[in-house]
Amino acid sequence: MSVNPTKFLRDVRSEARKVTWPTRRTTLVTTAAVLAMAAGASAFFFIVDQVIGFGIQSLFGL
């Protein structure tokens, strides 16, 4: 199997033209959704951690 760098670069350019990039609005909406989900998950795990910590303190009387 021979390697032809010129053909490879042509194929890469051809495939790169097929890529559809998201619009600015789509990028912002998706980023906001990811940040909101991360904040929600952080708040959830913080609350669960506090409840478990309170339960352990109550159980062992610390």
Side-chain angles (χ1 to χ4, degrees):
M1 188 171 183
S2 66
V3 177
N4 185 350
T6 308
K7 183 179 181 324
F8 174 75
L9 290 175
R10 250 193 325 251
D11 290 344
V12 167
R13 279 195 208 111
S14 173
E15 290 298 321
R17 285 188 202 107
K18 295 177 187 177
V19 173
T20 56
W21 294 99
T23 63
R24 182 176 185 88
R25 176 169 165 65
T26 303
T27 303
L28 291 175
V29 168
T30 305
T31 301
V34 168
L35 292 175
M37 291 298 291
S42 297
F44 171 76
F45 286 115
F46 176 76
I47 292 168
V48 169
D49 183 53
Q50 293 299 312
V51 169
I52 290 172
F54 177 74
I56 289 177
Q57 284 180 350
S58 297
L59 183 64
F60 293 116
L62 298 174

